Amino acid sequence: MTTPFPFTAVVGQDDLRLALLLNAVSPAVGGVLVRGEKGTAKSTAVRALSALLPEVAVVSGCRFSCDPSAPDPACPDGPHETGGGAARPARMVELPVGASEDRLVGALDIERALSEGVKAFEPGLLADAHRGILYVDEVNLLHDHLVDLLLDAAAMGASYVEREGVSVRHAARFLLVGTMNPEEGELRPQLLDRFGLTVEVAASREPDQRVEVVRRRLAYDDDPAGFAARWAGEEAAVRARIVAARALLPSVRLGDGALRQIAATCAAFEVDGMRADIVMARTATALAAWAGRTEVLAEDVRQAALLALPHRRRRNPFDAPGLDEDKLDETLEEFGGDDDPDTDPDGPDGPDGGGGQPPAEGPDSDGDAGTPAEAEESGPSQPAGAGSGERSPVGAAEPFRTKVLSVPGIGEGAAGRRSRARTEHGRTTGARRPNGALTKLHLAATVQAAAPHQRARGRSGPGLVVRRDDLRQATREGREANLVLFVVDASGSMAARQRMGAVKGAVLSLLLDAYQRRDKVGLVTFRGSGAEVALPPTSSVDAAAVRLESLPTGGRTPLAAGLLKAHDVLRVERLRDPARRPLLVVVTDGRATGGPEPVALAGRAAGLFAAEGIASVVVDCESGPVRLGLAGRLAGGLGGTAVTLDELRADSIAGLVRDVQGTSRRAA
């Protein structure tokens, strides 16, 4: 077994270590979400935590880790007698991003259930994680069907497995810990709210601290066991402190003054629901116990707010995380009670004992614990992003709810919420012979396949004799995520009459829709004499919104260059992810200027998309009483559909759903 990196040897990352330790003291806090760039010890710290957790008493032989002092009366391995049992180390179970539903919740032996009437159940990861840690690396990339199961288990403290009338239920209470890189996309709000605490981590910019990180990592890689042995004393001390804090926790008093501060803080930051208040109360109590106190102080409430509220106050996916600490301090001061005793900053509630500070660095450490005046396009052609024709970026108008733009046909891409697709989850549309392991049984089709052979198989009792060849896999239809590639006209004609604010507002609205539907997005812009990929295809809709906000305008309209650049992006992306179907969204007034025969060249470029059956939509940004209809002609050349900015709104009278014209070659 691999020796884990010692928790106390992690350099810096104070907030991360503190949040993990508070959950070790009080699992009721509700887990931790760790956000940050790659290479910041997120996974290392989480995996190291399990070695610090106290042992767990379990019923001997129970696959579901029942507590011998209070066994689950509905345990599938029960009933169990009270008392006895054995102690084992606390488990940390990792949930892979690509795991199947059966791997998470467990699986039934369908063949034995049908032929023998036996509930043969193989427990999944939720059963393994009961009374331990469930760790999800890259949790923001977890498929929606797994997220739904996690939400159910976290809400009910139990896992329910049902397969064609056969049901199994077992307890599933675990500490949920997730890590993620925000560049790869955000979490669904429902799952985000299930994490008790959140911390932002980043690599230190202090050379001395970075040197210490490298030194310790190299020492660990050279001799993991020897390195762990050198930190064994510090690990034991923290383990003992966790045990002591757990014992002290029931005695900690959360006074009325602290409760008022918690309620006032949650109200001041306009968090949704009451979960934030409860999590803050539990966190503040755990902070006091970790500091060895039986009274919750204002500093505990402040620290609890910094850990429990940042991910709950975000109003939309493009808002920056974090809290206004000045506003937090003002709220705490306004609602501060007199029942909190004063503390000596150098005493036991100071930097080394108060506010729940994590343990200090170990033996070989020596410090840180780690107006737009827009004009029509004119003048000579300018390079993209340069020249006197460039105008300062214009702010986006208020976003709105858009129509659902979907790709026609049925795909087989990544699970999402935009276009129809054959998926492992969704409504059942038919049955087929399984290719490999059976995952979703179609009961009626299986019975129909087995029924004609019962006499030949010597059936003599009430049971149905089922063979492997009789089993039928259910075919299901759900929704997939697409690649939505935006091609945005940033030329002078778009800047005229102050249209760019409305254009950016429309694209921002479509980006919000893409976020909700779990799409990948990309951004191509064109102006002056060329086009550029402002953002390669990514799952981070936030990044696209940032690039859009800083987009300047001006110059001529090289429409053909924009289309050709987009075609090249889609060609490369098709090689990387062939199952993900693209949706091209061109935001323009349809003009094409600059260079020889710009209109004809743009028409030939549009024909490339039509020939390949790429679904496309043109958002017509032309305004004024006289309209030339150029965007509509472009849509015809693309083999797609044109919508105006007004028609793009979901509340317009044109309807709520629009299938983009064009047939993808991968659609069946």
Side-chain angles (χ1 to χ4, degrees), residues 5-50:
F5 192 91
F7 185 87
T8 51
V10 175
V11 179
Q13 308 298 10
D14 290 357
D15 287 343
L16 170 58
R17 294 189 296 149
L18 176 59
L20 292 172
L21 289 169
L22 292 177
N23 276 273
V25 171
S26 176
V29 166
V32 187
L33 174 64
V34 188
R35 297 164 45 95
E37 60 197 26
K38 53 187 175 292
T40 50
K42 300 189 298 293
S43 299
T44 298
V46 174
R47 293 190 176 101
L49 176 66
S50 60

Side-chain angles (χ1 to χ4, degrees), residues 457-519:
R457 293 173 181 173
R459 172 185 169 186
S460 58
L464 187 68
V465 181
V466 178
R467 302 281 172 81
R468 176 69 187 176
D469 290 343
D470 301 327
L471 299 179
R472 294 294 183 267
Q473 174 82 26
T475 57
R476 297 172 180 261
E477 182 179 307
R479 293 280 168 176
E480 68 176 0
N482 297 111
L483 165 59
V484 182
L485 181 61
F486 294 93
V487 182
V488 180
D489 184 348
S491 65
S493 66
M494 295 290 288
R497 294 181 292 276
Q498 300 185 8
R499 277 184 286 169
M500 204 59 196
V503 169
K504 287 186 176 183
V507 178
L508 186 63
S509 303
L510 290 167
L511 285 171
L512 281 165
D513 182 69
Y515 163 78
Q516 294 164 353
R517 302 186 188 284
R518 316 300 288 175
D519 295 317

Side-chain angles (χ1 to χ4, degrees), residues 423-482:
T423 63
E424 288 294 318
H425 305 271
R427 63 185 181 90
T428 301
T429 58
R432 60 173 174 81
R433 291 181 181 271
N435 298 322
L438 178 72
T439 56
K440 297 290 182 182
L441 178 75
H442 195 295
L443 183 58
T446 299
V447 172
Q448 287 178 346
H453 309 291
Q454 296 306 295
R455 180 173 296 178
R457 293 173 181 173
R459 172 185 169 186
S460 58
L464 187 68
V465 181
V466 178
R467 302 281 172 81
R468 176 69 187 176
D469 290 343
D470 301 327
L471 299 179
R472 294 294 183 267
Q473 174 82 26
T475 57
R476 297 172 180 261
E477 182 179 307
R479 293 280 168 176
E480 68 176 0
N482 297 111

